[in-house]
Amino acid sequence: MDTFDNWRKSSHSGPGDGDSCVEIADSPTHVGIRDTKNRSCGTLTFPATVFALFLDTLKSTQFTR
């Protein structure tokens, strides 16, 4: 299992967001996601190729509010 030491928040998180976001970290083969306000609760881990496909799908989808 990969270990992650490069956790970062989204660049879209602002100072007023507090801990209401997730953090992401990557390794050559996997991507990890965790809750900023409860880091010790666990990490979701995905193969890097699957996560890249997920991001590509999000970027190509139009969302309405």
Side-chain angles (χ1 to χ4, degrees):
M1 179 57 99
D2 290 309
T3 57
F4 302 105
D5 59 0
N6 58 344
W7 292 102
R8 61 199 181 277
K9 285 189 204 181
S10 169
S11 60
H12 296 282
S13 296
D17 294 333
D19 288 335
S20 299
C21 64
V22 295
E23 295 175 322
I24 189 170
D26 55 357
S27 74
T29 59
H30 287 85
V31 174
I33 302 172
R34 68 182 180 186
D35 185 347
T36 299
K37 65 184 171 297
N38 198 356
R39 294 177 177 125
S40 63
C41 198
T43 301
L44 296 173
T45 305
F46 301 94
T49 54
V50 171
F51 193 74
L53 178 60
F54 170 69
L55 291 180
D56 288 343
T57 302
L58 286 178
K59 291 174 185 176
S60 67
T61 304
Q62 291 185 351
F63 294 97
T64 58
R65 291 182 181 216

